[in-house]
Amino acid sequence: MSSASPDSPAVSPDFPAVSPDSPARRGMPLGRRAVLAAASATALTGLATPATAATPVRGRPRALPGGGDLGPNVLVFDPGTPGIQATLDEVFARQESAQFGTGRYALLFKPGTYNGLNAQLGFYTSIAGLGLSPDDTTINGDVTVDAGWFNGNATQNFWRSAENLALVPVNGTNRWAVAQAAPFRRMHVRGGLNLSPTGYGWASGGYIADSRIDGQVGPYSQQQWYTRDSAIGSWLNGVWNMVFSGVEGAPAQSFPNPPYTTLDTTPVSREKPFLYVSGSEFRVFLPEKRTNARGVTWGNGTPRGTSLPLSQFYVARPGVSAATLNQALAQGLHLLLTPGIYHVDQPVRVNRPGTVVLGLGYATLVPDGGVTAMRVADVDGVRLAGFLIDAGPVNSATLLEVGPQGAWRGHSANPTTVQDVFIRIGGAGAGKATTSMVVNSRHTIVDHTWVWRADHGEGVGWETNRADYGVVVNGSDVLATGLFVEHFNKYDVQWNGERGRTIFFQNEKAYDAPNQAAVQNGSIKGYAAYKVGDGVTTHEGWGLGSYCYYNVDPAIVQHHGFAAPNRPGVRFHDLLVVSLGGNGQYERVINETGAPTSGTSTVPSTVVSYP
């Protein structure tokens, strides 16, 4: 769940107004069910023809086919498609408040110019252009995320995305008021970008990459934001933690006042794979790796990289078994997961170097019987992108495993990337997992993830959706760019590998700890949000924040947000901890360094450099 300023107004449409000192303040119906209207996963009728990548193979062939039907919830438009606005409006009506619904949609626009559109995006909705450059697909209009469904509170605007489009906003500024798991990638806004909801209510995001904003970016009430390898006209303000790496036009380093952490370049990056059309053929583009990256990849036209025809993908539809997915992978096919929910009774095993697993419209894997949803071998160049893993009711030891235990091979020339892969425990229903994501492979790049133990929705409670660890990194030389991990029962991030680096971290400790004893960590009060292993000799982080909101027992004390060995090779820049309205307190920021948080003031305690 996203944090919010405790002195701001909020009324959930599902619950009555609450007093300023109520635990339900911040628009979060904590300890109560907040079941929102679910959208049907059935196809929209009479509005669009399902996209077809290639003629499906009939019968039961020995080898699984590549290509195939992208399914009824992938809607493909061209400039001549009639009724585009009506289709967009119907999808939005289904998804606007369907926070834990089953509907999943991908809205894809072929290259060309589209006039007068306003694509409002609800939950589990992705919109994308199908050109090689964002400028190939121009919308003279808006792609809008606002918070009307939640009375102007944008802190729950999760699970939606915009990619690979050029926008000419009607009023000069496009509104993108999002929280976690809502990437804005490969976008060109020929104007400004407003990251706050109408009326400047609460907002807690967010992530921009490989995008150009010609005008001003106005975060207004956004508490934190990470922008990577982009170009902006200007940046208006900062609340707690605004981080930039490789961004042309970024504000100068000034943390904590204003709270800007600015790196001139991103050490290593490789943009997310994306679907595009070449003539009448769907293909998947694979951007190349960059080192010391700065600015967009597409500024001079066609981006650098390679592409694959869809005939080399097994195009999966909801209902397909894990055995079938594994058969396709074993035959050398990549996976394209079309929108929907996939139950897997065995791990999806990604064993071949260079395999691409790309989800559309927040395709969701649910492990049954306590299995791990996906396992990746210790091989070069795997690309995981654009899907959600939802824990099942039987506890899984892990949900995503990148490399087996003991992985040792180097992959610096061709790393595995994990991009816009989100993990959820509870919320949509009962779910448990001891550890959500384990990264064992060296040189892995985790580029934008939200790993979330739910604090509201179905199946939520200290033991009901038990999940001790969010992200555990055992591999060396791992880089995280845009790491959001929240509400775990013990360590949210535990980093054991050498030479790890994190650029931007956002965290909230678990709201629902029943008392101090429940979070006691030996002699230490509470588990750090971000723990570097005691044996690690080299580690570095920039722009890391942890917040607490212990609403069940506001007297809980968290000793520190960050814990790490005190040695010269372990370095942190621009750390902060915040007590939201005095619901719990931090005694220190990192180890024994940093001032305690103060009463109910919701003012960060900061450390600019450690040690």
Side-chain angles (χ1 to χ4, degrees):
M1 181 62 224
S2 316
S3 56
S5 173
D7 58 1
S8 302
V11 181
S12 164
D14 297 292
F15 295 92
V18 291
S19 64
D21 58 351
S22 166
R25 193 69 171 165
R26 301 169 67 233
M28 302 173 190
L30 303 173
R32 303 165 65 181
R33 295 175 61 186
V35 182
L36 304 171
S40 169
T42 58
L44 295 175
T45 57
L47 295 174
T49 302
T52 300
T55 302
V57 176
R58 303 291 182 182
R60 299 175 63 84
R62 184 171 301 169
L64 292 173
D69 186 355
L70 298 186
N73 287 17
V74 176
L75 305 180
V76 179
F77 308 98
D78 62 45
T81 302
I84 296 175
Q85 187 64 56
T87 303
L88 298 175
D89 291 346
E90 182 167 345
V91 173
F92 179 63
R94 291 170 179 261
Q95 299 303 113
E96 179 184 14
S97 60
Q99 183 171 178
F100 299 114
T102 58
R104 305 285 188 272
Y105 292 93
L107 311 173
L108 306 181
F109 287 76
K110 291 183 178 180
T113 300
Y114 300 79
N115 294 317
L117 296 182
N118 181 19
Q120 300 183 82
L121 300 187
F123 287 97
Y124 313 109
T125 305
S126 298
I127 188 170
L130 289 171
L132 273 176
S133 165
D135 289 327
D136 292 342
T137 309
T138 298
I139 293 178
N140 289 308
D142 299 274
V143 172
T144 303
V145 178
D146 210 336
W149 75 280
F150 207 38
N151 281 12
N153 176 0
T155 62
Q156 293 184 20
N157 280 350
F158 312 137
W159 305 304
R160 63 201 76 196
S161 67
E163 299 184 49
N164 207 28
L165 293 164
L167 304 178
V168 184
V170 171
N171 295 316
T173 299
N174 190 78
R175 186 177 301 279
W176 186 255
V178 298
Q180 287 79 9
F184 198 79
R185 286 185 182 269
R186 292 178 55 77
M187 296 289 287
H188 185 186
V189 181
R190 299 175 191 162
L193 187 64
N194 185 335
L195 303 178
S196 185
T198 300
Y200 306 109
W202 302 333
S204 183
Y207 176 90
I208 294 171
D210 200 23
S211 294
R212 182 180 297 278
I213 317 300
D214 292 346
Q216 185 176 73
V217 180
Y220 299 101
S221 58
Q222 283 284 358
Q223 292 156 350
Q224 67 279 316
W225 199 276
Y226 176 49
T227 307
R228 178 182 63 72
D229 299 352
S230 294
I232 60 176
S234 62
W235 189 273
L236 179 63
N237 71 295
V239 177
W240 289 338
N241 189 31
M242 303 288 159
V243 180
F244 309 83
S245 68
V247 178
E248 298 170 356
Q253 170 73 33
S254 58
F255 186 91
N257 188 25
Y260 299 148
T261 298
T262 303
L263 287 72
D264 191 55
T265 61
T266 303
V268 186
S269 64
R270 189 174 68 192
E271 298 305 328
K272 178 185 172 184
F274 61 91
L275 195 66
Y276 74 104
V277 291
S278 178
S280 60
E281 179 189 26
F282 281 91
R283 298 182 68 90
V284 173
F285 193 82
L286 308 177
E288 69 174 17
K289 188 189 77 168
R290 298 199 291 170
T291 56
N292 298 317
R294 183 173 172 83
V296 301
T297 62
W298 47 269
N300 295 318
T302 303
R304 297 177 64 89
T306 59
S307 73
L308 298 169
L310 215 59
S311 61
Q312 294 183 22
F313 284 75
Y314 176 66
V315 179
R317 297 278 295 273
V320 70
S321 69
T324 299
L325 296 176
N326 284 329
Q327 182 187 348
L329 290 167
Q331 290 175 0
L333 292 171
H334 307 276
L335 293 184
L336 186 72
L337 303 175
T338 63
I341 297 174
Y342 299 74
H343 283 266
V344 295
D345 59 0
Q346 61 181 268
V348 177
R349 300 183 184 278
V350 182
N351 294 328
R352 183 172 53 89
T355 299
V356 178
V357 180
L358 176 61
L360 300 179
Y362 286 82
T364 302
L365 301 178
V366 181
D368 292 335
V371 303
T372 297
M374 183 174 291
R375 286 198 168 112
V376 180
D378 190 20
V379 294
D380 278 352
V382 170
R383 304 185 194 224
L384 309 180
F387 57 90
L388 172 65
I389 298 175
D390 217 346
V394 178
N395 185 74
S396 295
T398 60
L399 293 172
L400 174 63
E401 183 182 272
V402 182
Q405 184 176 359
W408 57 270
R409 294 181 175 87
H411 306 290
S412 60
N414 191 7
T416 285
T417 48
V418 181
Q419 300 178 286
D420 301 347
V421 174
F422 308 116
I423 296 177
R424 177 172 66 191
I425 302 94
K432 290 186 177 183
T434 303
T435 303
S436 291
M437 180 189 300
V438 178
V439 180
N440 293 318
S441 285
R442 293 181 61 194
H443 299 104
T444 298
I445 300 172
V446 180
D447 175 45
H448 189 225
T449 188
W450 184 39
V451 182
W452 184 57
R453 175 182 168 264
D455 60 274
H456 64 277
E458 291 273 13
V460 171
W462 183 249
E463 296 295 342
T464 305
N465 61 329
R466 181 84 193 188
D468 284 351
Y469 307 103
V471 176
V472 175
V473 179
N474 297 318
S476 296
D477 306 293
V478 171
L479 171 66
T481 52
L483 187 59
F484 300 74
V485 189
E486 294 187 302
H487 306 310
F488 286 85
N489 296 75
K490 292 185 178 179
Y491 293 122
D492 298 273
V493 172
Q494 188 168 6
W495 204 299
N496 302 315
E498 284 287 357
R499 298 175 299 280
R501 292 173 291 183
T502 295
I503 304 172
F504 181 89
F505 171 68
Q506 186 266 335
N507 165 263
E508 288 179 355
K509 295 302 299 174
Y511 296 161
D512 56 349
N515 49 51
Q516 186 75 49
V519 297
Q520 195 69 17
N521 181 14
S523 63
I524 300 171
K525 299 172 185 174
Y527 288 80
Y530 189 107
K531 162 72 172 174
V532 179
D534 294 340
V536 172
T537 61
T538 305
H539 188 91
E540 195 159 10
W542 296 262
L544 283 67
S546 176
Y547 320 147
C548 73
Y549 185 75
Y550 289 115
N551 68 298
V552 175
D553 182 0
I556 290 175
V557 174
Q558 178 82 23
H559 182 60
H560 45 218
F562 304 90
N566 186 8
R567 51 178 63 105
V570 178
R571 298 178 293 171
F572 288 91
H573 316 272
D574 302 353
L575 301 171
L576 68 149
V577 295
V578 181
S579 169
L580 299 171
N583 290 277
Q585 299 291 336
Y586 292 91
E587 292 179 326
R588 296 288 184 266
V589 178
I590 179 169
N591 293 348
E592 302 304 318
T593 300
T597 52
S598 176
T600 61
S601 62
T602 314
V603 174
S605 177
T606 62
V607 168
V608 173
S609 182
Y610 182 87

